[in-house]
Amino acid sequence: MSRNQQPGTKSTLVEFGESVGRAEALMAAPGAFEGFDATEGPGVRGEGRLPRRKFKRYFRETGWRHLVGIVVAVFAIFPLLYIFSASLNPGGTLLTANALFSNVSLESYLGLFQSETHPYGAWFVNTLVIGLITAAGTVILGALAAYSFSRMRFTGRRVGLTTLLVVQMFPQMLAMVAIFLLMVQISDIFPAIGLNTQIGLIMVYLGGALGVNTYLMYGFFNTVPSSIDEAAKIDGAGHARIFFTIILRLVAPILAVVGLLSFIGTSSEFVLASIILVDPEKQTLAVGLYKFVSDEFSKNWSLFAAGAVLAAVLPVALFLALQRYIVGGLTAGSVK
């Protein structure tokens, strides 16, 4: 380094050597720079240029995925737009709703709460109460069973877990005749939890709460290290204290997933709710909305569409609120 050269600057020989090295790199590997637009003017020194791909290469690598995504989105969104358009059309039929949003009116939404024979407000409240109570009960029962199978060792543990999973493969709809006869007999002894009672319907739903939910929670409980339980036992904590104060906080994602799935399944269930609940004031939305289109001479699809739109608001809101738990809860419990 010469005396006149300042520290930190490069000499002319060093700069010349770096330029020669870059030229040799270009000549040795010209394919590495394929895609760059050489016709563009000189850029600012120190700024890199992004490669510009051709359309055929873009479509082959990622473009077709965007096209498939657009087609799937249109396929999924169109039925929702059609039902929403039908709810705003006071014509009463789905044929007059072919042209989307050709006639916009809130008459159908107002008519839902003005009919005396179709108490939509009572149906909405009944669905909300039954769904929330059933979801809470499902979460509690499933969590207790999953904790027992995951942390305790007893005779018949693995057989019992497999039995719950196998029994759950048969839906409750297959036993609707037996459930109806059982509820009739219970009504003679305990009318408060028998036929035509919401408590009775909740108990029927909770009867099928175990099974897949317990198996799903069991996989998630196994991901929680058992050393946490052992440390709590050393401090003098029992199973109940460990479960309610430690484990439930660590498995919150799977609790949210099971609660959400239970609420959606309960609110959309039709068969058991239709045979157990008889009075219109006690029925749920799934049973009540059917009355708008069940009569041969007075079908009102506009009211049915409006009621379906409002009924979908609460499950969608719960899904969006608990969406961040769904992926983590399902994936973490699926590895066991």
Side-chain angles (χ1 to χ4, degrees), residues 124-272:
F124 194 91
V125 174
N126 295 338
T127 303
L128 181 62
V129 173
I130 294 175
L132 291 179
I133 294 177
T134 304
T138 300
V139 169
I140 294 175
L141 294 178
L144 290 172
Y147 179 78
S148 301
F149 284 115
S150 177
R151 291 296 191 265
M152 301 179 183
R153 299 295 181 265
F154 50 89
T155 304
R157 167 178 165 271
R158 189 166 297 275
V159 176
L161 186 62
T162 305
T163 302
L164 285 176
L165 185 61
V166 172
V167 171
Q168 193 68 17
M169 294 181 180
F170 301 93
Q172 289 181 326
M173 186 177 62
L174 298 178
M176 61 180 180
V177 177
I179 292 175
F180 176 77
L181 296 177
L182 180 63
M183 297 301 292
V184 171
Q185 295 179 0
I186 293 177
S187 299
D188 298 335
I189 304 175
F190 300 104
I193 59 175
L195 193 66
N196 197 26
T197 59
Q198 296 178 358
I199 299 179
L201 180 62
I202 293 174
M203 294 182 64
V204 172
Y205 286 152
L206 292 180
L210 301 178
V212 177
N213 295 329
T214 301
Y215 199 82
L216 187 62
M217 289 186 179
Y218 168 77
F220 198 96
F221 273 68
N222 287 341
T223 62
V224 179
S226 58
S227 58
I228 298 178
D229 300 15
E230 296 174 358
K233 291 179 181 178
I234 293 176
D235 293 337
H239 286 291
R241 187 175 182 84
I242 295 173
F243 175 77
F244 287 105
T245 60
I246 300 176
I247 301 299
L248 286 185
R249 298 181 181 181
L250 298 177
V251 298
I254 195 62
L255 301 182
V257 170
V258 172
L260 177 62
L261 296 178
S262 176
F263 179 84
I264 294 176
T266 303
S267 60
S268 60
E269 201 278 326
F270 175 79
V271 177
L272 294 178

Side-chain angles (χ1 to χ4, degrees), residues 3-316:
R3 297 179 179 179
N4 297 329
Q5 186 177 356
Q6 297 180 359
T9 61
K10 296 182 179 180
S11 64
T12 305
L13 293 176
V14 175
E15 293 179 354
F16 177 76
E18 290 179 353
S19 63
V20 172
R22 289 194 295 268
E24 291 178 355
L26 287 172
M27 295 175 63
F33 297 90
E34 181 182 357
F36 284 91
D37 192 357
T39 61
E40 293 183 355
V44 181
R45 185 175 181 180
E47 292 185 358
R49 296 180 182 178
L50 295 176
R52 179 176 296 178
R53 293 180 298 177
K54 296 181 179 180
F55 178 77
K56 292 183 179 179
R57 183 179 178 185
Y58 159 76
F59 186 81
R60 184 177 64 253
E61 293 180 354
T62 58
W64 66 272
R65 301 178 183 178
H66 297 164
L67 183 60
V68 173
I70 293 174
V71 173
V72 173
V74 172
F75 184 79
I77 293 176
F78 178 76
L80 303 179
L81 292 178
Y82 189 84
I83 292 297
F84 185 62
S85 176
S87 66
L88 297 176
N89 189 354
T93 62
L94 293 179
L95 297 178
T96 58
N98 290 335
L100 297 179
F101 303 102
S102 59
N103 187 8
V104 178
S105 176
L106 298 178
E107 180 180 347
S108 298
Y109 289 92
L110 297 177
L112 287 174
F113 301 94
Q114 295 177 355
S115 177
E116 297 180 357
T117 57
H118 301 85
Y120 183 84
W123 297 340
F124 194 91
V125 174
N126 295 338
T127 303
L128 181 62
V129 173
I130 294 175
L132 291 179
I133 294 177
T134 304
T138 300
V139 169
I140 294 175
L141 294 178
L144 290 172
Y147 179 78
S148 301
F149 284 115
S150 177
R151 291 296 191 265
M152 301 179 183
R153 299 295 181 265
F154 50 89
T155 304
R157 167 178 165 271
R158 189 166 297 275
V159 176
L161 186 62
T162 305
T163 302
L164 285 176
L165 185 61
V166 172
V167 171
Q168 193 68 17
M169 294 181 180
F170 301 93
Q172 289 181 326
M173 186 177 62
L174 298 178
M176 61 180 180
V177 177
I179 292 175
F180 176 77
L181 296 177
L182 180 63
M183 297 301 292
V184 171
Q185 295 179 0
I186 293 177
S187 299
D188 298 335
I189 304 175
F190 300 104
I193 59 175
L195 193 66
N196 197 26
T197 59
Q198 296 178 358
I199 299 179
L201 180 62
I202 293 174
M203 294 182 64
V204 172
Y205 286 152
L206 292 180
L210 301 178
V212 177
N213 295 329
T214 301
Y215 199 82
L216 187 62
M217 289 186 179
Y218 168 77
F220 198 96
F221 273 68
N222 287 341
T223 62
V224 179
S226 58
S227 58
I228 298 178
D229 300 15
E230 296 174 358
K233 291 179 181 178
I234 293 176
D235 293 337
H239 286 291
R241 187 175 182 84
I242 295 173
F243 175 77
F244 287 105
T245 60
I246 300 176
I247 301 299
L248 286 185
R249 298 181 181 181
L250 298 177
V251 298
I254 195 62
L255 301 182
V257 170
V258 172
L260 177 62
L261 296 178
S262 176
F263 179 84
I264 294 176
T266 303
S267 60
S268 60
E269 201 278 326
F270 175 79
V271 177
L272 294 178
S274 62
I275 65 175
I276 294 179
L277 301 179
V278 180
D279 295 339
E281 294 79 8
K282 298 180 180 180
Q283 293 175 343
T284 59
L285 283 173
V287 181
L289 289 177
Y290 178 71
K291 295 183 178 180
F292 288 117
V293 294
S294 61
D295 195 349
E296 184 177 359
F297 301 101
S298 62
K299 294 182 179 180
N300 197 326
W301 290 99
S302 181
L303 287 176
F304 176 84
V309 171
L310 293 181
V313 171
L314 188 58
V316 171

